[in-house]
């Protein structure tokens, strides 16, 4: 079926928008803890003093605050690695519905922690909401990729990242001391995720299950056909159904793919390597270091109200994610990744130079702020949105849940270590800290140039066949490389330049 017969229907928009509420939750809970930091520290101090009947040590307070922040990422790591357990057992839609219970429990624990004066409830709530977000980062890209028409898969896949950055921005705005970032209302700020969770639960009742899951896993062809026709606004879905049948027939001849087999089977080795490396590229680019500590960076740069500059960076974040949405199906995934990584490498170099010279030249503070904003823009052009949805494109139905679990866990794990190690690295390296990120960015740029394929315009089945064919050729080559992929144009038979 030609892509011009597929339409963007109201049903498709509603379905994808509903899914991205999970993305919004992830972004919101990343940023929500930062704005009321001092207020929450005072709460911990007061609560511990009351329970210990003595002044708690500075080390204990710092440890409890750090645990409150870091436990979210630990929950995300555990949740992300559990993605595969849900997707094929309950389906994509039902999985998103079920795990919203975690969001409601986590939000409730955090929202009530001040009322019952319990630091343990705060920490436990952060852990539970982290579990929810870890699972959502696996569910949402898979579901969006499987309900989207091939020609629009990249554009709709970008909406996952758009949901994340809107969530971050909303948490920054809500966290202002004129809204919810006050001594009385900060529990409402932390408990807010209950509302989007309830909204998504209601909306998911009207969303269809993934047609690929229904046909390939459940063998419900008629139901899958009706859903495709409804979502894509066309009666002619014969080619897509045949592709799914072919994939189902191949899966019937294979045993279920485990995480270990992703690394053992040659045809999976290249795509899982690409998936992990792109997730690492996203985190080791320095983007979270910039956002975690942006208020301090802007303050050092001389900004009187640094929180508003941080919100400004969030606005830039959102705008350029929308730009990427329109570019990804025109320029392609690989091209946008290289533009983004190259631009970020330049910006991190400029940021280091500005930090070194800002005490000597006042105008360097403006260069630093500009470099940060452009850095954020380049991130959202490619390295931000693409690693999430390209994983679903590189794998067929069988290994996709396990691959998404590995990729998401890689993202959360690297996120955890960046948050943990960045303050120590900054204290030792000072203004030269961003040179490390420059090195990472250059390395990932080279990897993308030599190893990452262009998946724009290709079906899941075509991509899988190409990896399998290249794996067979590599087996015959006796020690030759698994695959060389640097095509920027869609091609039915190969990733090599046509």
């Amino acid at each position: 079926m030609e892509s011009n017969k597929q339409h963007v229907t109201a049903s498709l928009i509603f379905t994808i928008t509903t899914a991205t509420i999970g993305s919004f939750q992830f972004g919101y809970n990343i940023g929500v803890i930062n704005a009321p930091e001092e207020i929450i520290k005072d709460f911990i101090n007061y609560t511990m003093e009351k329970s210990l009947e003595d002044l708690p040590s500075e080390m204990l307070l710092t440890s409890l605050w750090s645990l409150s922040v870091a436990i979210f990422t630990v929950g995300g790591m555990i949740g992300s690695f559990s993605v595969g357990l849900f997707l094929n057992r309950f389906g994509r839609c039902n999985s998103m519905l079920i795990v919203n219970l975690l969001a409601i429990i986590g939000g409730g624990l955090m929202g009530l922690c001040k009322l019952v004066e319990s630091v343990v409830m705060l920490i436990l709530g952060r852990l539970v909401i982290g579990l929810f977000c870890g699972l959502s980062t696996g569910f949402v890209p898979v579901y969006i990729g499987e309900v989207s028409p091939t020609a629009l898969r990249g554009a709709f896949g970008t909406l996952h990242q758009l949901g994340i950055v809107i969530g971050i921005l909303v948490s920054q705005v809500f966290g202002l001391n004129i809204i919810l970032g006050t001594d009385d209302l900060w529990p409402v700020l932390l408990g807010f995720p209950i509302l989007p969770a309830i909204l998504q639960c209601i909306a998911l009742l009207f969303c269809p299950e993934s047609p690929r899951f229904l046909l390939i896993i459940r063998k419900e062809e008629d139901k899958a056909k009706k859903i495709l026709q409804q979502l894509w606004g066309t009666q002619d879905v014969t080619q897509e159904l045949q592709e799914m049948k072919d994939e189902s027939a191949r899966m019937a001849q294979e045993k279920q793919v485990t995480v270990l087999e992703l690394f053992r089977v040659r045809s999976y080795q290249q795509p899982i390597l690409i998936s992990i490396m792109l997730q690492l590229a996203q985190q080791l680019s320095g983007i979270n270091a910039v956002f975690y500590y942006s208020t301090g960076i802007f303050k050092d740069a001389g900004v009187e109200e640094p929180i508003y500059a941080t919100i400004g960076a969030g606005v830039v974040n959102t705008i350029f994610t929308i730009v990427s949405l329109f570019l990804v199906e025109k320029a392609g995934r690989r091209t946008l990744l290289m533009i983004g990584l190259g631009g970020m490498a330049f910006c991190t170099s400029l940021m280091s130079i500005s930090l070194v010279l800002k005490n000597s030249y006042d105008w360097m503070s403006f260069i630093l702020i500009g470099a940060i904003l452009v850095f954020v823009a380049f991130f959202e052009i490619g390295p931000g949105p693409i690693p999430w949805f390209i994983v679903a494109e590189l794998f067929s139905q069988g290994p996709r849940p396990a691959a998404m679990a590995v990729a998401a866990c890689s993202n959360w794990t690297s996120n955890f270590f960046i948050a943990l190690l960045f303050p120590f690295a900054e204290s030792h390296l000072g203004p030269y800290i961003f040179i490390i990120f420059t090195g990472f960015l250059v390395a990932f740029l080279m990897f993308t140039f030599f190893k990452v394929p262009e998946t724009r315009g290709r079906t899941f089945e075509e991509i899988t066949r190409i990896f399998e064919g290249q794996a067979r050729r590599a087996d015959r080559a006796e020690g030759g490389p698994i695959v060389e992929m640097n095509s920027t144009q869609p091609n039915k038979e190969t990733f090599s330049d046509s």
Side-chain angles (χ1 to χ4, degrees):
M1 182 179 65
E2 296 299 320
S3 61
N4 58 11
K5 293 182 181 178
Q6 301 167 352
H7 305 286
V8 179
T9 63
S11 177
L12 182 61
I13 293 173
F14 176 80
T15 297
I16 292 176
T17 302
T18 298
T20 55
I21 294 175
S23 312
F24 170 88
Q25 294 271 58
F26 175 37
Y28 183 88
N29 286 287
I30 286 175
V32 72
I33 199 75
N34 295 325
E37 176 179 346
E38 295 304 322
I39 296 173
I40 295 176
K41 282 181 177 178
D42 288 342
F43 162 73
I44 295 173
N45 186 18
Y46 165 77
T47 305
M48 294 307 298
E49 182 180 346
K50 192 172 180 180
S51 61
L52 296 174
E53 297 182 354
D54 195 7
L55 286 174
S57 67
E58 189 66 31
M59 180 176 291
L60 177 60
L61 291 175
T62 302
S63 299
L64 288 173
W65 165 251
S66 299
L67 183 60
S68 301
V69 176
I71 200 73
F72 170 75
T73 313
V74 174
M77 290 162 60
I78 298 169
S80 63
F81 208 70
S82 307
V83 166
L85 299 177
F86 283 82
L87 286 178
N88 283 344
R89 183 169 301 175
F90 301 110
R92 282 58 169 148
C93 208
N94 286 335
S95 292
M96 290 188 288
L97 186 62
I98 292 167
V99 300
N100 269 305
L101 181 62
L102 293 174
I104 294 170
I105 292 171
L109 287 168
M110 292 186 293
L112 295 172
C113 68
K114 183 183 179 185
L115 182 66
V116 299
E117 298 182 347
S118 173
V119 177
V120 174
M121 280 183 64
L122 172 65
I123 294 171
L124 188 59
R126 288 285 290 173
L127 174 65
V128 174
I129 205 76
L131 283 167
F132 163 74
C133 290
L135 288 162
S136 291
T137 55
F139 297 163
V140 176
V142 169
Y143 182 67
I144 291 177
E146 291 183 356
V147 300
S148 300
T150 300
L152 298 171
R153 200 172 58 222
F156 284 134
T158 303
L159 293 176
H160 172 58
Q161 180 69 11
L162 182 61
I164 294 172
V165 299
I166 290 175
I168 294 172
L169 181 60
V170 169
S171 72
Q172 291 171 338
V173 174
F174 280 9
L176 292 172
N177 57 16
I178 58 172
I179 304 179
L180 295 178
T182 66
D183 188 54
D184 293 326
L185 294 177
W186 67 264
V188 178
L189 182 71
L190 297 187
F192 174 78
I194 294 173
L195 293 180
I198 293 172
L199 176 63
Q200 188 180 40
C201 284
I202 295 170
L204 281 170
L205 298 176
F206 303 94
C207 292
E209 183 51 84
S210 160
R212 301 187 73 85
F213 171 79
L214 289 173
L215 193 150
I216 297 173
I217 304 298
R218 294 280 177 84
K219 313 300 181 186
E220 299 178 12
E221 181 180 343
D222 290 342
K223 196 171 182 180
K225 180 179 180 180
K226 289 178 183 177
I227 290 172
L228 280 176
Q229 291 171 338
Q230 172 193 346
L231 291 176
W232 295 2
T234 177
Q235 295 300 305
D236 182 11
V237 292
T238 306
Q239 186 172 330
E240 281 70 23
L241 288 173
Q242 187 58 50
E243 180 213 334
M244 294 180 199
K245 290 177 186 177
D246 293 342
E247 187 175 337
S248 179
R250 190 177 66 252
M251 278 185 62
Q253 300 171 0
E254 303 172 346
K255 60 181 180 179
Q256 187 174 357
V257 178
T258 64
V259 168
L260 288 178
E261 285 173 323
L262 291 174
F263 298 93
R264 290 174 179 168
V265 178
R266 185 178 284 273
S267 60
Y268 299 147
Q269 288 173 351
Q270 186 72 3
I272 197 62
L273 174 64
I274 292 169
S275 300
I276 292 172
M277 290 294 283
L278 291 184
Q279 296 292 338
L280 294 179
Q282 186 188 81
Q283 293 301 318
L284 297 179
S285 66
I287 187 66
N288 277 343
V290 168
F291 270 107
Y292 283 144
Y293 303 100
S294 57
T295 301
I297 292 172
F298 285 128
K299 186 176 181 180
D300 289 342
V303 178
E304 291 184 6
E305 295 288 347
I307 185 61
Y308 292 103
T310 301
I311 291 173
V315 172
V316 172
N317 213 12
T318 304
I319 291 171
F320 278 88
T321 306
I322 297 172
V323 170
S324 177
L325 190 154
F326 291 102
L327 291 179
V328 70
E329 293 297 352
K330 294 181 180 180
R333 286 73 156 146
R334 183 172 174 271
T335 301
L336 292 183
L337 278 169
M338 290 194 295
I339 291 172
L341 291 168
M344 291 171 76
F346 173 77
C347 289
T348 50
S349 301
L350 195 58
M351 286 157 67
S352 285
I353 294 171
S354 302
L355 285 168
V356 170
L357 298 178
K358 69 181 180 65
N359 292 329
S360 302
Y361 304 96
D362 291 340
W363 53 270
M364 271 295 175
S365 295
F366 298 103
I367 300 295
L368 174 59
I369 294 170
I372 290 173
L373 297 178
V374 176
F375 173 86
V376 169
F378 273 119
F379 175 77
E380 294 302 348
I381 286 291
I386 292 173
W388 287 115
F389 69 79
I390 201 171
V391 181
E393 295 185 324
L394 296 177
F395 290 92
S396 59
Q397 193 80 8
R400 189 175 296 134
M404 184 58 74
V406 171
C409 190
S410 301
N411 187 288
W412 280 93
T413 303
S414 53
N415 185 346
F416 173 76
F417 283 108
I418 286 291
L420 187 68
L421 299 176
F422 181 80
F424 298 101
E426 185 187 34
S427 65
H428 286 87
L429 297 174
Y432 300 100
I433 180 64
F434 287 102
I435 292 296
I436 294 177
F437 294 121
T438 304
F440 279 129
L441 286 161
V442 171
F444 288 123
L445 175 61
M446 298 302 292
F447 176 85
T448 302
F449 180 78
F450 288 108
K451 294 296 182 183
V452 176
E454 180 55 72
T455 57
R456 173 173 58 97
R458 294 185 173 102
T459 66
F460 295 126
E461 178 72 8
E462 289 166 358
I463 296 167
T464 300
R465 283 203 311 266
I466 293 167
F467 276 121
E468 289 174 346
Q470 292 170 326
R472 286 193 295 270
R473 289 195 296 273
D475 282 334
R476 293 194 297 266
E478 293 187 356
I482 292 175
V483 60
E484 274 304 320
M485 299 179 295
N486 57 9
S487 171
T488 59
Q489 297 297 326
N491 185 285
K492 297 293 183 184
E493 301 300 332
T494 179
F495 282 135
S496 302
D497 290 324
S498 53

